[in-house]
Amino acid sequence: TEENMKHTDCNYCNIDNKEIEKELESLKSDLDKTKKELEDSKKKALYIMADLENTKRNSFKEVEIQTTRNTIKVIKEFLNVLDDFERCLQSEKEHGNVNLEGLQMIHKTFVSSLEKLLIIEVSTSCIFDPSIHEAISFIEQKDSDKKHNEIHSVVKKGYKYRENLIRPAQVIVVKEEEV
């Protein structure tokens, strides 16, 4: 018949139905396996995203805790100095005079506290350096042991935290006398 003729022209007509069913089952099995792998991958991605969020949140908490600890450490150092000032002021009220020795001790304690916090004074026993000094004035001196661009005097001390400049030293700088 004509219908049978059409089927014989088809490439699949020569293949047994059992083979087609077998191939179909194999493809269905592969599809199911791929769907399961996709589902597993989605779950893993969700777990990883959740873990990342937890890590991020925990990191922020750790930074906050460390910042708080460091702030408390700094405050404790300054509270010791404040206590010394208050004792000195109380002594001045009771005895009517300022205790110079007490003020010197407070200054020493304060400098020590800064050093514990790794805060150091900017050197001013050198040539003027605009990266750590701020020239607020210049002075001409002809008969001086100071040379051009050397620091004549310090108006306000500068400080560094480790290698980071907190505040430049405000200085008066020697300049050559104009002729």
Side-chain angles (χ1 to χ4, degrees), residues 6-7 30 39-40 42 49 103 136 163 178:
K6 286 182 185 173
H7 287 298
D30 288 348
E39 197 59 38
D40 290 346
K42 283 181 181 179
M49 288 173 56
L103 288 175
I136 60 168
E163 292 303 314
E178 294 181 17

Side-chain angles (χ1 to χ4, degrees), residues 96-107:
N97 62 352
V98 175
N99 181 348
L100 185 58
E101 260 183 54
L103 288 175
Q104 289 170 334
M105 286 174 54
I106 292 169
H107 179 265

